[in-house]
Amino acid sequence: MRARQITVAVGLLGLLCVPAHAEARDISRDTLPANDGWAAYGTGTTGGAAADDAHVYTVTDRAGLVKALDNGSDTPKIIKVAGTIDANTDDDGDHLDCADYATDGYSTKKYLAAYDPRTWGSAKPSGPQEEARQASAAKQAERIVLSVGSNTTIVGLGKQAVLKGASLQVRNTDNVILRNLDVRDAYDCFPVWQPNTGGLGDWKTAYDTIWLTGATHVWVDHVTASDKGHPDAKEPTYFARNYLRHDGLLDITNGSDLVTVSWSRFADHDKAMLIGNGDTVTGDRGKLRVTLHHNEFESVVQRAPRVRFGQVHLYNNRYVVPEDAADYRYSVGVSTESALYAENNAFTAPGHVEVADLVKSWNGTALHQTGTLFNGFPVDLLAIYNAYNSGSERDLTTDVGWTPTLHTKIDSAEAADREVARGAGAGRLP
């Protein structure tokens, strides 16, 4: 009997010691369901589902991830991320910090002294310290910029798959799936001072946590993106401007098209999501078709999203503005030639944020919205926006010129608010 008891005990111990990245089902060959947003259009989005066994990888560190990505090749591949991967590491896996990247005599103190507007003026930075900053930035980029090629699926295993410090760049590629990943803190060690930005000048950072540029057929699902570890709010102020270290959480620019972002969480950040990067980039016309559904935007200052040119379907998303959000600016940005179709989205905000604050327009002309919920009450977001901003901004019409046909079931804003709170983000796949 004792031998049998020992055997049973060992078996139970084995169950208890299953690695944290073990999962009940293998999601790595999942493809985007039919009709699930713009990424389902045409050929749909299958990522690396066609990969042979030789191109299925489980990676646990930066070196393994870089090898699996294969310089952004188009070979069908599935990459499973297990545990936490830090992009700021050397070839031996040792952590690198900003001092390790600094070269050619660069230092923040010297840079600030060189380009102080009181002595430098409004000219673009140039000279030894700017050259040293560029060289230092290039060293960091070599480590943290990770190129994702066509026909690729990257999935996190289990509930704690983290990729920190990296900028995942889906550049001029087609057919990519990113799922169940906690991506955080694409920290720029070497921001550049831009004297003429915004009238007062501003700090410009280099890295989006995820950047789609010229990318088509992309599905981003159950991803959590944040600045966790290094919030910009805790950075110092230089030249009367916050010393920003992060750019976008997920930017979709430069002719990217046919993208679905679902059940993801964007948190603790300033500029969350930019769709279309310039008012004069007329080549984006007819592109930037994006669906955003069942996502959560929490403690986000602005760009959730800001849209130029694209036909964007925004439905069943959850927005949470915290009580202490003194710097909140807006959630939905309506910009040049944008065609935003918003349905059944829920907003929760403190008393100093009004309904009219949720939208901001720059050369926008239209916004279709229905079923909006604000602090539990139905509101006509467009009517209130126009009433409050009449005279200072152009009134927006309801005619965006299209009606979405590719979408999953659209729930009420109230139901979606509850479901997204429970189910959005990494580690929450059903």
Side-chain angles (χ1 to χ4, degrees):
M1 285 294 293
R2 182 167 179 80
R4 187 173 187 275
Q5 289 173 343
I6 292 173
T7 301
V8 171
V10 170
L12 290 172
L13 182 61
L15 289 174
L16 293 173
C17 294
V18 173
H21 57 75
E23 54 185 1
R25 68 181 183 90
D26 184 1
I27 65 168
S28 64
R29 293 190 186 270
D30 285 0
T31 61
L32 178 69
N35 298 315
D36 193 348
W38 273 118
Y41 185 81
T43 58
T45 302
T46 60
D52 58 28
D53 290 345
H55 292 92
V56 178
Y57 310 91
T58 298
V59 298
T60 59
D61 56 20
R62 179 191 175 277
L65 178 57
V66 168
K67 183 178 180 180
L69 286 168
D70 190 27
N71 293 315
S73 76
D74 294 345
T75 304
K77 64 186 76 66
I78 293 171
I79 302 172
K80 304 177 184 182
V81 175
T84 297
I85 294 178
D86 184 358
N88 284 292
T89 52
D90 62 19
D91 290 340
D92 294 325
D94 294 326
H95 180 73
L96 300 171
D97 60 24
C98 293
D100 295 311
Y101 296 123
T103 189
D104 296 351
Y106 174 87
S107 77
T108 303
K109 184 177 180 179
K110 291 178 182 178
Y111 190 89
L112 293 172
Y115 305 114
D116 189 325
R118 294 172 297 181
T119 53
W120 178 261
S122 61
K124 182 179 178 181
S126 62
Q129 270 300 300
E130 171 57 16
E131 292 168 4
R133 187 203 65 79
Q134 292 180 21
S136 302
K139 286 184 65 176
Q140 185 185 21
E142 288 178 1
R143 309 308 299 178
I144 74 169
V145 172
L146 303 176
S147 297
V148 182
S150 297
N151 310 311
T152 298
T153 292
I154 306 178
V155 298
L157 293 179
K159 298 182 180 297
Q160 296 180 347
V162 177
L163 179 58
K164 67 178 184 178
S167 177
L168 280 178
Q169 299 192 0
V170 187
R171 182 190 296 267
N172 301 324
T173 59
D174 178 70
N175 194 30
V176 170
I177 294 174
L178 306 174
R179 298 186 78 196
N180 199 40
L181 290 167
D182 183 337
V183 290
R184 62 178 69 161
D185 193 24
Y187 188 87
D188 187 351
C189 288
F190 308 102
V192 61
W193 174 244
Q194 296 185 321
N196 295 314
T197 299
L200 298 175
D202 211 349
W203 293 99
K204 172 66 175 175
T205 56
Y207 309 115
D208 299 319
T209 309
I210 301 173
W211 183 26
L212 311 185
T213 172
T216 54
H217 287 110
V218 179
W219 181 27
V220 178
D221 179 67
H222 280 92
V223 163
T224 295
S226 73
D227 296 344
K228 188 172 183 178
H230 290 103
D232 280 336
K234 293 187 177 181
E235 293 291 332
T237 297
Y238 296 133
F239 308 153
R241 306 295 284 174
N242 184 221
Y243 193 50
L244 295 174
R245 298 293 194 152
H246 305 90
D247 200 1
L249 291 177
L250 169 58
D251 280 7
I252 304 169
T253 64
N254 297 300
S256 291
D257 197 19
L258 306 177
V259 177
T260 297
V261 182
S262 57
W263 293 100
S264 292
R265 185 170 186 269
F266 303 92
D268 306 317
H269 188 79
D270 186 354
K271 304 177 181 73
M273 185 182 300
L274 182 65
I275 302 176
N277 57 309
D279 291 347
T280 61
V281 188
T282 55
D284 284 344
R285 287 174 178 153
K287 300 176 181 178
L288 298 173
R289 291 173 289 181
V290 179
T291 300
L292 304 174
H293 73 83
H294 294 94
N295 302 294
E296 181 175 67
F297 297 90
E298 182 174 2
S299 299
V300 166
V301 176
Q302 57 186 315
R303 296 186 185 178
R306 178 178 175 178
V307 182
R308 296 180 176 96
F309 296 104
Q311 292 182 339
V312 175
H313 192 194
L314 187 71
Y315 73 90
N316 282 172
N317 298 286
R318 179 176 194 260
Y319 295 81
V320 180
V321 183
E323 288 289 337
D324 59 351
D327 57 350
Y328 173 78
R329 294 185 61 186
Y330 69 92
S331 292
V332 179
V334 183
S335 299
T336 302
E337 296 186 35
S338 62
L340 256 161
Y341 200 103
E343 298 182 272
N344 299 14
N345 299 291
F347 297 82
T348 300
H352 67 276
V353 175
E354 300 183 10
V355 175
D357 297 326
L358 304 179
V359 175
K360 178 68 177 175
S361 175
W362 297 263
N363 300 318
T365 59
L367 170 65
H368 177 97
Q369 76 80 42
T370 56
T372 302
L373 208 64
F374 181 76
N375 287 341
F377 294 94
V379 295
D380 187 332
L381 180 58
L382 183 61
I384 294 172
Y385 168 82
N386 283 336
Y388 272 69
N389 293 282
S390 182
S392 61
E393 296 179 9
R394 179 193 308 181
D395 281 0
L396 300 175
T397 70
T398 62
D399 184 10
V400 295
W402 73 294
T403 302
T405 58
L406 293 170
H407 55 78
T408 58
K409 179 178 180 291
I410 300 178
D411 296 315
S412 69
E414 183 179 15
D417 193 34
R418 293 192 302 267
E419 291 302 311
V420 171
R422 286 193 293 259
R428 293 182 170 184
L429 278 162

